[in-house]
Structure formats: structure tokens, C-alpha cells
Amino acid sequence: MALTAISPSPPSTNNNGNSPSVTSSDVVDVDYYRKGVKYLIDNSKDMKILPPEFVLPLPEAESPSLAICGSIPVIDLSGLNGPVEQRLATIHAISSACAEWGFFRVSNHGIKISVMDEMLKAVEEFFNLPLEEKMRYASEDVMDPVRYGTSLNTSRKHTLHWRDFLRHYGGPVPHSYDLWPDNPPCYRRIAKDYLEEVWQLAIKIFGAISGGLGVDTKYIERSLGEGTQIIAANFYPPCPEPNKTLGLAAHSDHGGLTVLMDNGINGLQIKHNQTWLSVPHIPGTFVVNLGDYLEILSNGRYKSVEHRAVVNAERTRISVAVGHGPEMTAIVQPAGPLLKENSESKYRPIIYKEYIRGQQSTTKRGKSALHEIVTSSHSK
């Protein structure tokens, strides 16, 4: 599939004829921002004020700096390979985390730290490429198999967010492999190896979650069919006024499970009991969170949870999030075994591809896409 590149219009040159530069007082064509936040920073003078296009109307109570430091459950996955009692205790711990938090951290997950570091390095090298290389993958279509972009995924008009991203499909059968970035030269090999290992990790966790729901341990894995895996590599440069914007607005994920790692710079915040918590980095671990697909499949027993990315003034944060859901043609609906006699489904059935398209295209965030398919008898 051919990808459509965007041809931005740069600001005019300065009075002394040097290369274009941007200050907070410049009037900049919107297309200029489509080149990405990194390009904006690299071609700016010492930026002290956040460009108005990035200033978000955040209520004071939602200010990133007001989030309290918190800790999500940490689960040792080696217990899944232990004696029956240990395995059941680990499944119970995962089930409790799914019901009470929607987020947990996993240790002893079986993926070497060297593999994690290699993936982070390859992602960093991609974002450090010349703009022309990255713009080869620029696209307005949220469903394109490979996309480079900035701010939110949607091309609809919205207040900009302090983020550049690379998204593409993976999965056990990576049909789009030949479309993945070929620069840096190592990227395809490293990403393929990494995504294969993360897929196996997700399947292991899906098995534990199935057990916690009281269904066959292969139930969720079977529901995926061929499955859909999407990687979102995010680049958050230092921001001149980090408390006035976000790297990524509050949202829930559309898939079943997202497996996240970062480069050690804090920036993840989650909403727990209506309070924003900052989740500190723990080396060598992954953050795992539930997406809308699992909330639907569990008929609301487990909840996807809103989370956001905040930025800072000193250091670049890089995160690599890998989402796992069913195949695109799957009908998303509650699991039959979980619907008791006389109980109703809380969610209308929907084709997964259409759910993704709707969730990714809108400028609304939070859990708006999920609220759209709540049945009338369960809507608030």
C-alpha cells in the first residue's frame, strides 16, 4: 500500500537569510506542525513559551503536576510456572488487579532486558532520522498499516499534543512487515523479534485472565482468532511549559492488553478512583493495562482505565506500547459463558475494525468510544 506523505509549508526565513527558525511569537502554518514536535524543537530558538496551538484547556484539578505518586500492583509472572498453589495465587493476583486497577506491572516476564533495550534504541534512532525519512510514513488514514505522525492519531482539527509517534501492525502473522521502516537498517529485525516475544507474553497473561474469569484458560486466546497487534512508539521531547499541555490526553485503549515499556523517564499517569496517579518507572518490568476489548468481553467485570502521558522540561521520554486485540473482522461482544441466565449484555456487538476506526478518528478522548456501545438499559 502506498503511503501519502504530507508536504508541510515551513515558516518564512528570518531577516538575515539564515535557515527558518521558530519562536513562540512566530505565526506558523498548521502544516508546519505536522512535521512533528521534534522538528519544531530542533528548528526553534531557545523556546521559553509553549506555542498556543499546544495549550490545552485543562481544568485546574486535572493539572499534570497535581497527580500524586502511586504504585500499581507488581506481579511476579514466574508464579504461573510454579506449583499449583503458586499458579493459582498468581492468577488471583492478576484477576484482582484487573478488577480493582485495570493496570499492573509484571516482573520475571521472560523477555531479556537486552531485547527491551535494543528495541528502545531502534525506536530512538528512528525518531532521530532526518525529517524526510520519517515523512515517508506520514498519513492521514488512521487504519494505514504504518504511520508516522504527531499529536493525536486523528487528522481532525484539535489542540495539539506534545508527541510524535510511529505506529504499525505486528502480530503472529505480520502481513505488513515489508512496509515497516527500513531505516534504521536494524529496525525491522529488532521490531519483529521484540513483537514476537511480547505477543507470547500477552498470550500468557490472557491465559491467566481467562482463568480468573472462570472460563477455559484458552478462551481469550481463541477469541482473538488471528489476532491484531499494534505498536505505538512515542517520542516526547522536553517541553518549555509542561504543565500547560500533555503528551497524550486521557484515554482507554481499544484492545485487550497493552504491554508498555519506556526509557526510564517518568510520564505515565493513570486515573484510579477518580484521582490521577503518577506511575514511577521500575527497571526491567513492563506495565500492562486492560483495554476496552477485555471490558466488553468480561461484560464489565473488568474495566479499561483512563491513562495519559505527561511531559517534562528537561528530558526526552520514549515509550513503546504494544496493544493486543482480536482480528479485525471479529465481532466484539461479551463472552457467552459469562452471561448468566436472565442477565443482559452490557454492550452492543460491534466489528473490531469499526471500533478501532471510530475510537482512533475522533477528537474525543476518555472512554467515549466504549460509552457509544453501552446498551440503553446500562447507560447512565
Side-chain angles (χ1 to χ4, degrees):
M1 179 182 297
L3 300 179
T4 304
I6 303 170
S7 299
S9 302
S12 58
T13 56
N14 53 30
N15 292 334
N16 60 17
N18 291 335
S19 299
S21 61
V22 182
T23 65
S24 59
S25 62
D26 286 329
V27 177
V28 181
D29 190 293
V30 172
D31 279 346
Y32 181 77
Y33 287 117
R34 293 181 183 175
K35 296 179 177 181
V37 180
K38 185 179 188 301
Y39 185 83
L40 174 65
I41 292 293
D42 290 347
N43 290 273
S44 299
K45 296 175 181 177
D46 188 16
M47 186 186 292
K48 301 294 185 183
I49 299 174
L50 187 70
E53 290 82 359
F54 291 89
V55 177
L56 296 173
L58 294 170
E60 185 175 349
E62 298 282 306
S63 172
S65 63
L66 295 182
I68 62 176
C69 187
S71 59
I72 57 179
V74 180
I75 298 172
D76 183 346
L77 288 188
S78 65
L80 294 177
N81 301 320
V84 174
E85 296 80 4
Q86 189 178 13
R87 183 171 60 84
L88 292 177
T90 305
I91 291 173
H92 177 73
I94 291 174
S95 178
S96 296
C98 289
E100 297 172 17
W101 286 86
F103 268 81
F104 53 95
R105 191 181 292 276
V106 294
S107 62
N108 290 320
H109 42 70
I111 299 179
K112 294 179 180 178
I113 293 179
S114 61
V115 172
M116 299 166 67
D117 290 343
E118 195 174 32
M119 185 65 204
L120 283 166
K121 183 179 179 182
V123 166
E124 182 176 18
E125 289 178 3
F126 173 83
F127 285 110
N128 284 331
L129 290 172
L131 178 67
E132 293 73 18
E133 277 289 315
K134 292 181 287 189
M135 293 299 286
R136 290 168 56 199
Y137 307 98
S139 170
E140 296 287 320
D141 187 346
V142 298
M143 301 305 290
D144 264 348
V146 183
R147 292 184 69 214
Y148 164 74
T150 190
S151 192
L152 302 182
N153 297 327
T154 180
S155 60
R156 296 182 183 180
K157 185 177 180 181
H158 64 278
T159 304
L160 300 179
H161 289 58
W162 202 256
R163 170 185 84 137
D164 296 339
F165 65 84
L166 170 67
R167 291 169 58 89
H168 64 77
Y169 294 102
V173 185
H175 299 297
S176 61
Y177 177 77
D178 291 340
L179 300 176
W180 295 3
D182 54 12
N183 198 7
C186 63
Y187 182 84
R188 289 183 182 177
R189 173 186 59 81
I190 290 173
K192 185 174 184 294
D193 291 346
Y194 179 75
L195 291 175
E196 285 175 351
E197 293 207 36
V198 173
W199 177 269
Q200 292 305 317
L201 172 60
I203 293 300
K204 178 186 291 187
I205 298 172
F206 276 135
I209 292 174
S210 294
L213 286 171
V215 296
D216 183 88
T217 55
K218 296 286 186 180
Y219 187 91
I220 297 177
E221 181 180 353
R222 287 196 299 267
S223 79
L224 302 179
E226 187 176 281
T228 299
Q229 185 185 49
I230 304 176
I231 180 173
N234 304 300
F235 189 91
Y236 307 101
C239 178
E241 295 182 287
N243 213 40
K244 291 185 177 181
T245 191
L246 292 169
L248 196 54
H251 66 286
S252 61
D253 295 341
H254 54 73
L257 282 180
T258 299
V259 178
L260 173 78
M261 68 170 176
D262 58 38
N263 63 339
I265 309 301
N266 291 335
L268 172 64
Q269 294 186 349
I270 70 169
K271 202 170 195 177
H272 180 62
N273 294 332
Q274 302 304 310
T275 299
W276 282 107
L277 302 180
S278 294
V279 179
H281 171 82
I282 298 179
T285 65
F286 287 107
V287 170
V288 177
N289 68 274
L290 272 62
D292 295 346
Y293 176 67
L294 269 185
E295 176 166 338
I296 297 167
L297 183 138
S298 70
N299 204 32
R301 178 170 164 182
Y302 295 157
K303 302 289 187 182
S304 58
V305 171
E306 289 184 58
H307 52 287
R308 65 186 185 182
V310 302
V311 292
N312 70 84
E314 290 81 31
R315 302 179 67 184
T316 294
R317 178 172 181 256
I318 296 173
S319 70
V320 178
V322 185
H324 304 82
E327 60 191 12
M328 288 293 183
T329 57
I331 297 176
V332 178
Q333 59 188 345
L338 298 181
L339 295 178
K340 307 296 184 183
E341 188 175 355
N342 298 324
S343 68
E344 294 182 3
S345 170
K346 296 180 180 179
Y347 308 93
R348 291 186 291 102
I350 187 171
I351 297 173
Y352 187 54
K353 183 176 182 178
E354 296 308 313
Y355 188 82
I356 293 179
R357 186 185 297 278
Q359 194 242 26
Q360 294 289 295
S361 298
T362 181
T363 59
K364 295 179 181 179
R365 285 301 181 257
K367 297 180 67 171
S368 59
L370 191 67
H371 295 157
E372 289 290 327
I373 64 167
V374 173
T375 58
S376 57
S377 59
H378 291 91
S379 60
K380 294 182 180 179

